[in-house]
Amino acid sequence: MDELKTILLIEDDTVLRENTAELLELDGYKVLTAPNGKRGITEALREVPDLIICDIMMPEIDGYGVLEALSDHHKTQHIPFIFLSAKTEHKEVRMGMDMGADDYLTKPCDEDELLSAIKSRLAKSTLLNQVSEKQQEANPQQEEGNLKNLPELIAFLGDKGEIQSYEKGESIYEQGDRIHQIYLINSGVVKCYTMDENGKELITSLRKEGSFLGLEQILENGAHHESTTALEDAELLAVSKQEFVNILEENQQLTLELINLLADDINNIKEQLLQMAYGSVRRKTAQTILQFAAILNDDSEQQIRISRHDLASVAGIATESLIRTLSQFKKNGWIAIEGRNIKILDLIALEQME
């Protein structure tokens, strides 16, 4: 007979906690309970359950704090985690999922819905463990501690992370948010930007397929220094921060490669700032068009579709100045414009712009 699966239920409402525990026990689970987040963390680390169900609004430590604490500990970071909460706003659900929760159910929750979510998450956990064991047997060189370069890291992360889809214009994370996950862009383009005290947006970089997001301050309990938004429909692979840190600790060569990537990003940002500070409006506009073309297309002579606001934000000039300059470029025959579409007609003229 299979061993009973253990579920930890963290809920401050006594009646709801006891009723839910009884329901789970009747369905064949061993149930542990905790009346607040602090007790829940202690219980999870001591018992290491097969699945955790947790309320969000609780005394001592709330549900977000519980998830963060358990995600940072090697004993509990792989345990399926389900939020059960009365908070139904989209941003609350998104926050819970972005932090690494496996599911988010709202109160009052139908019994069948709860039991179905538990069974599916336990089944997924079992399958992932089986797949991971088979892959390690077939490809021992891909185990943590044997990753040699970034392509191997990207392949390895495919089994560790969760695919998340974002529509054009949708926020991924905002400046000041705590760093809970590291993202790898599988497809699409993402803009990274900051806001000044007057609310003006400055795009610091454009990221495309194969780029990482959120690497800053991952070794600290830091916050994001910039915001990110999907510039077009994008698919990202999200990996918990602690999982990513564990991989780097076992693979020093990868750490060095990522440091080089960050150094390149810093140099690119420095070049952009110098251009914004000393370049003419014409040169800023030309270089920004070329930059977007290189990111959005493999061939810089192809047509790009981008808002004038985003172009002006990267160039560091007023939108009105950008529009006047684009009109002059069009008049000179260097570009063609149709709505938001811009096509480069004279690449050399833009590259040599003073």
Side-chain angles (χ1 to χ4, degrees), residues 94 98 164 166 170-185 190-193 205 207 212-216 223-230 236:
R94 169 63 73 181
D98 284 349
Q164 298 180 1
Y166 295 86
E170 186 175 359
S171 173
I172 300 167
Y173 56 78
E174 296 184 1
Q175 185 175 351
D177 287 350
R178 294 287 298 277
I179 300 176
H180 300 294
Q181 294 180 304
I182 304 299
Y183 299 89
L184 174 66
I185 302 176
V190 173
K191 69 173 180 180
C192 304
Y193 61 95
S205 63
R207 307 293 181 88
F212 287 97
L213 300 173
L215 288 177
E216 67 274 19
H224 291 288
H225 290 163
E226 57 191 6
S227 301
T228 56
T229 297
L236 277 60

Side-chain angles (χ1 to χ4, degrees), residues 31-179:
V31 182
L32 308 173
T33 62
N36 57 58
K38 185 176 181 180
R39 289 273 298 277
I41 293 172
T42 301
E43 194 74 12
L45 292 173
R46 180 172 63 242
E47 299 293 338
V48 191
D50 296 294
L51 183 139
I52 297 171
I53 301 173
C54 186
D55 187 18
I56 291 181
M57 299 184 67
M58 297 183 295
E60 301 284 347
I61 300 175
D62 66 13
Y64 297 133
V66 172
L67 177 55
E68 182 174 14
L70 298 182
S71 296
D72 286 344
H73 200 286
H74 68 91
K75 290 175 62 177
T76 53
Q77 62 188 203
H78 298 300
I79 298 175
F81 195 102
I82 297 176
F83 274 129
L84 181 60
S85 174
K87 298 169 76 69
T88 60
E89 295 87 350
H90 174 75
K91 65 178 182 179
E92 300 292 347
V93 177
R94 169 63 73 181
M95 179 177 177
M97 300 304 288
D98 284 349
M99 288 182 65
D102 295 276
D103 211 335
Y104 193 113
L105 303 179
T106 56
K107 301 176 184 177
C109 179
D110 181 83
E111 293 181 4
D112 291 337
E113 181 183 8
L114 175 60
L115 294 175
S116 175
I118 292 172
K119 290 176 182 177
S120 65
R121 294 305 165 185
L122 287 174
K124 178 182 177 182
S125 177
T126 299
L127 287 174
L128 288 176
N129 289 335
Q130 292 175 349
V131 170
S132 178
E133 291 173 0
K134 290 180 180 179
Q135 288 180 337
Q136 290 184 4
E137 291 174 1
N139 301 292
Q141 71 278 8
Q142 289 297 305
E143 294 179 357
E144 287 185 40
N146 292 317
L147 302 177
K148 299 179 179 63
N149 50 47
L150 288 179
E152 287 189 4
L153 170 63
I154 292 173
F156 185 75
L157 291 178
D159 298 322
K160 296 286 185 178
E162 174 190 3
I163 297 296
Q164 298 180 1
S165 297
Y166 295 86
E167 296 180 355
K168 179 180 179 181
E170 186 175 359
S171 173
I172 300 167
Y173 56 78
E174 296 184 1
Q175 185 175 351
D177 287 350
R178 294 287 298 277
I179 300 176

Side-chain angles (χ1 to χ4, degrees), residues 83 85 98 103 134 241 254 260 270 274 278 281 301 316 319:
F83 274 129
S85 174
D98 284 349
D103 211 335
K134 290 180 180 179
K241 180 189 73 173
L254 285 178
N260 287 332
K270 284 183 177 178
L274 287 172
Y278 301 110
V281 171
E301 292 187 350
T319 304

Side-chain angles (χ1 to χ4, degrees), residues 273-314:
L273 291 174
L274 287 172
Q275 175 182 304
M276 291 170 59
Y278 301 110
S280 67
V281 171
R282 284 158 55 91
R283 179 168 176 77
K284 291 176 184 178
T285 303
Q287 290 300 315
T288 302
I289 292 173
L290 294 173
Q291 182 181 353
F292 270 99
I295 294 292
L296 297 175
N297 296 297
D298 294 329
D299 182 352
S300 60
E301 292 187 350
Q302 290 182 355
Q303 184 169 272
I304 63 173
R305 180 176 176 83
I306 198 72
S307 73
R308 302 298 180 259
H309 170 76
D310 284 335
L311 277 172
S313 178
V314 173

